[in-house]
Amino acid sequence: MSRAVVYDGVDEAVAGIEDGSTVLIGGFGLAGMPFDLIDALIRQGATDLTVVSNNAGNGEVGVAALLASGRVRKVVCSFPRQSDSYVFDELYRAGKVDLEVVPQGNLAERLRAAGAGIGGFYCPTAVGTPLAEGKESREIDGRTYLLEYPIRGDYALIAAHRSDPWGNLVHRKTARNFGPVMAAAAATTIVQVDEVVPLGAIDPEAVATPSIFVDRIVAVDARHYTVEGAR
């Protein structure tokens, strides 16, 4: 088993992300968003990306900044519109970005299925709605279910609180959100952390994302992002 590599900077950590990649981006609103990795991806220049995230960006930071850079072809998310999603709204209305809406629980489970090696699962969510169109259905115990497929990523960009040099991760409270399932669902997982601590300094019981799912780690200065984009 190969161990994660600790990088000195975020630009080195995102090097090699190819045009056309599917990128899983952690975060629930601003909580747990890997802002520094997203900024580095914008500088890196990869384009024609499919972005999978809980929502389609807040204000002008994070996923919204990536959308504004014109590098995203498609967004897969559960919550595309809110009061501060004006970047996505304008691009979508102009036909400059495609959208696939996935109910939040389905999004999490489809990512988890990818990491667990599950080929598909049946779920009742979205039965009888436009989201059910074109999907295989099956009746189980008198209830209708839809067949859902895993969501796999070429890369995952996630944030965590701490890591050891091998890549075992500790997340902080709600910032944990999609991080663990996205790490497992991606071919290459890149993580920004507040600090890298010595091996053995993390209680094994506190590890939410084990090192087997982590490829690249970079420590960043703790920053606070606002919806307006200030740090």
Side-chain angles (χ1 to χ4, degrees):
M1 180 184 71
S2 60
R3 295 175 182 170
V5 177
V6 179
Y7 286 78
D8 292 329
V10 288
D11 293 292
E12 294 81 6
V14 302
I17 295 180
E18 303 89 355
D19 292 350
S21 295
T22 295
V23 183
L24 316 178
I25 300 180
F28 190 92
L30 301 182
M33 182 70 63
F35 293 105
D36 296 80
L37 290 176
I38 295 172
D39 289 346
L41 179 58
I42 294 170
R43 293 191 295 270
Q44 189 258 14
T47 190
D48 195 35
L49 302 173
T50 295
V51 167
V52 181
S53 193
N54 179 67
N55 60 308
N58 300 83
E60 299 176 4
V61 297
V63 171
L66 184 59
L67 285 164
S69 71
R71 310 284 174 70
V72 179
R73 177 184 65 83
K74 180 180 180 180
V75 173
V76 180
C77 72
S78 64
F79 195 23
R81 297 202 63 213
Q82 52 205 26
S83 62
D84 58 354
S85 62
Y86 48 84
V87 172
F88 170 79
D89 291 352
E90 292 175 4
L91 291 171
Y92 182 72
R93 292 178 187 275
K96 295 181 179 179
V97 64
D98 295 330
L99 171 66
E100 178 183 347
V101 176
V102 181
Q104 193 171 80
N106 284 16
L107 182 64
E109 186 65 6
R110 289 176 66 184
L111 290 163
R112 192 196 70 82
I118 296 171
F121 61 92
Y122 285 93
C123 181
T125 305
V127 169
T129 76
L131 296 182
E133 294 177 5
K135 293 184 178 180
E136 177 185 328
S137 65
R138 178 173 294 185
E139 186 172 309
I140 303 173
D141 292 333
R143 189 175 187 183
T144 302
Y145 292 78
L146 301 176
L147 178 60
E148 300 286 353
Y149 292 100
I151 296 177
R152 298 180 177 87
D154 299 302
Y155 295 89
L157 305 183
I158 67 173
H161 182 42
R162 291 191 180 96
S163 173
D164 65 21
W166 284 8
N168 294 299
L169 305 181
V170 174
H171 302 267
R172 188 174 184 275
K173 300 181 179 179
T174 58
R176 172 173 172 169
N177 50 67
F178 286 90
V181 290
M182 286 185 169
T188 299
T189 296
I190 308 170
V191 187
Q192 69 170 68
V193 297
D194 296 333
E195 60 178 339
V196 178
V197 298
L199 196 63
I202 296 176
D203 181 349
E205 295 296 330
V207 173
T209 303
S211 61
I212 192 172
F213 298 123
V214 176
D215 300 284
R216 308 177 191 176
I217 310 160
V218 59
V220 300
D221 294 331
R223 301 176 180 181
H224 297 285
Y225 283 72
T226 67
V227 170
E228 291 75 21
R231 298 179 183 177

